Amino acid sequence: MKKLMNRPQDFVDEMLDGLVEANPSLTRDGESGRVIRRTTPAAPKVGVVSGGGSGHLPLFTGYVGQGLLDTCSIGNVFEGPTVGSCIEAMKLADQGRGVLRLYGNYGGDRMNFDMAGEMLEDDGIRSTTVLGTDDIASAGPEERQKRRGVAGIIYAYKAAGAAAEAGADLDAVTAIAQRTVDLTRTIGVAMSPCQVPGADRPSFVLGEDEIEMGMGIHGEPGIWRDKLRPADEIADEMVERLLADRPEGSGTRASVLVNSLGATSLEELFILYRRVSKKLGEAGITIVQPLVGHFATSMEMAGVSVSLCFADPEIEALLASPSSCPFWKVQP
Amino acid sequence: MSITPAGLSSAVVTVNGAMGEMEQALNAADARLGDGDTGTMLARLFAGLAKTDLSQTADVGAAFSALARAAAVSTGSSLGTLVATALMTLGRETKGRVAVDADEFATLLAAALDAMMSRGKASLGDKTVLDSIDAIVRRVSEEPTLPAAADAAMSALETFRSRPNRVGRARMFGDATIGVDDPGMLAVAKIAEALAKDQTADD
């Protein structure tokens, strides 16, 4: 698989160099430069921190900005951030009002952030954790807390970030993030694999004419694998599965995110969105704030995810409040 | 035999020295189940441990804690974090001691194992480093020596080879993991072997 890069071992650091040079609102920080923070820190407020492996841009570092994340610790491609960089990210985000750690439900990330949190307790930094668990393909509804976090986590970034910016305390920001996760569902399909820089083969194998429903963003197994079908059939099944897993107490309004996993074109995303929006309309759901584009990728994997955030009025207002980061702006 | 800061320092230097040989074998084992970097990651981790200066401390607990911090900044991989967790626990358990006797090995390792299980959420039998440490704990509670530990780690590796991985990224490969060594378990066996050999050479 061809990639524009220099040495594979420089892939992440050179990517971060370019990211901050192209976006002066972001700064590399921390001993190893693996923390991205806002160049101009926010006025005193609760800190919102995320982190994870590289290879998913705009996740995670791309969402550092006003009304969103304060800092983000980043690891090597598909490898969790070090405990050291988690500690640095939390320290840089802390303004004495505590820190929310908001990241995907992956073993390495969880271990490192948990450990960082324990180490910082001794320094008197208070922190809470909310895990993104939106991927309905990764576990059944009865084991919802075991689900992995994928693209839908950006709704929690936005809502928690807006609440923190508005001056909410740590408990309130944590509760908003958790409720947003609870009201968000995602499912993805994959059509071609990705390859880690320097690896001599793709991360998984999928036939040229095959599609897999529910595959994870590192190639984790999904629900079924079969011959590629027309976009409308795929969209219908994704919407059906999402609505079948509708959160308890959800209303009739939802934000829809149609996200490219990397290689899938905007054209294809809009073909899918057209059908998704029709199906949701038929199901009596009013779409608020549609999002179509690259929001959480898996290197050059071809594929799409669809997320629904069944925002209640409070969360809908937070999603609509102004914010700005390099990859997502909400205008006042 | 007992554990002292000087002894710890020399042990990590020994393992770091043995890493050159181990690195490719561990990468190859991991390439069958993951992204093939377990050896490179552990080499980076032990290089960090070997660089840690323990000469100014007489406290075994402080020495373990210093090693835990060095491990924690060297990698973000799950296995690396489990190593850091184990070292952090050993540091807490031995705080304020100038030496720890061999007959305490089993108790200390059992505490480290508990911490690793609670951190990583894996269970015994999932075919991970936990199974290797568990085998070592049971063996050294009867025979607290490094050769016994190395022997137990090797037996665990052989026992689990024919079983499937039940947790983590390797779980994705299902039955294809049968007959394949878990890279973490292989690492424990090789590290224990290097330490046992080094001790025999000293004798």
Side-chain angles (χ1 to χ4, degrees), chain A residues 144-207:
Chain A
R144 214 171 59 73
Q145 76 288 352
K146 285 192 184 172
R147 288 174 171 172
R148 61 198 167 214
V150 286
I153 197 169
I154 67 166
Y155 287 114
Y157 286 171
K158 179 70 184 78
E165 210 84 34
D169 67 16
L170 181 60
D171 290 339
V173 173
T174 306
I176 282 287
Q178 186 62 58
R179 203 160 87 240
T180 309
V181 168
D182 291 343
L183 292 171
T184 304
R185 301 286 187 272
T186 300
I187 189 159
V189 288
M191 292 177 288
S192 78
C194 53
Q195 188 162 326
V196 173
D200 55 6
R201 55 180 186 154
S203 301
F204 58 93
V205 182
L206 198 55

Side-chain angles (χ1 to χ4, degrees), chain A residues 79-80 82-84 112 118 201 221, chain B residues 31 37 72 75-76 81 88 119 172:
Chain A
E79 182 181 312
T82 64
V83 177
N112 295 327
E118 285 167 31
R201 55 180 186 154
Chain B
D37 66 351
T75 174
T81 304
M88 209 165 115
R119 176 81 65 210
M172 281 162 45

Side-chain angles (χ1 to χ4, degrees), chain A residues 31 76-85 107-108 110-112 114-115 118-119 196 199 201 203 218-221, chain B residues 31-35 37 41 44 69 72-78 81-82 84-85 88 92 119-121 169 172:
Chain A
E31 200 180 332
N76 291 323
V77 174
F78 295 175
E79 182 181 312
T82 64
V83 177
S85 72
R110 214 176 43 214
M111 281 190 229
N112 295 327
D114 283 355
M115 196 152 163
E118 285 167 31
M119 285 174 158
V196 173
R201 55 180 186 154
S203 301
H218 310 103
E220 296 93 333
Chain B
R32 302 180 67 174
L33 301 175
D35 46 10
D37 66 351
M41 183 281 291
R44 195 165 68 225
R69 280 192 296 277
V73 298
S74 70
T75 174
S77 83
S78 311
T81 304
L82 289 174
T85 300
M88 209 165 115
R92 204 175 293 143
R119 176 81 65 210
K121 313 279 186 229
R169 191 82 48 89
M172 281 162 45

Side-chain angles (χ1 to χ4, degrees), chain B residues 134-198:
Chain B
D134 176 56
I136 295 175
V137 168
R138 282 185 285 120
R139 182 67 187 276
V140 298
S141 64
E142 289 161 14
E143 190 188 341
T145 67
L146 284 171
D151 187 52
M154 187 52 74
S155 305
L157 181 72
E158 282 162 5
T159 306
F160 277 85
R161 190 173 295 143
S162 59
R163 302 189 193 174
N165 281 87
R166 292 219 191 95
V167 76
R169 191 82 48 89
R171 190 173 57 111
M172 281 162 45
F173 297 86
D175 285 350
T177 61
I178 293 175
V180 176
D181 287 333
D182 176 73
M185 293 188 76
L186 182 63
V188 177
K190 285 186 171 289
I191 289 168
E193 187 189 16
L195 288 171
K197 259 192 199 157
D198 183 56

Side-chain angles (χ1 to χ4, degrees), chain A residues 253-320:
Chain A
R253 293 166 72 80
S255 175
V256 184
L257 163 62
V258 175
N259 168 57
S260 170
L261 292 175
T264 297
S265 66
L266 275 170
E267 283 84 350
E268 292 163 88
L269 299 185
F270 283 118
I271 288 171
L272 208 73
Y273 181 80
R274 160 196 151 276
R275 182 72 169 198
V276 166
S277 105
K278 178 169 180 276
K279 283 290 173 189
L280 289 174
E282 285 172 11
I285 291 170
T286 306
I287 296 178
V288 293
Q289 289 197 320
L291 301 165
V292 180
H294 290 67
F295 289 86
T297 65
S298 187
M299 311 225 62
E300 65 281 350
M301 189 190 290
V304 186
S305 68
V306 177
S307 306
L308 293 180
C309 174
F310 293 93
D312 59 28
E314 186 184 8
I315 290 172
E316 194 178 322
L318 292 167
L319 295 182

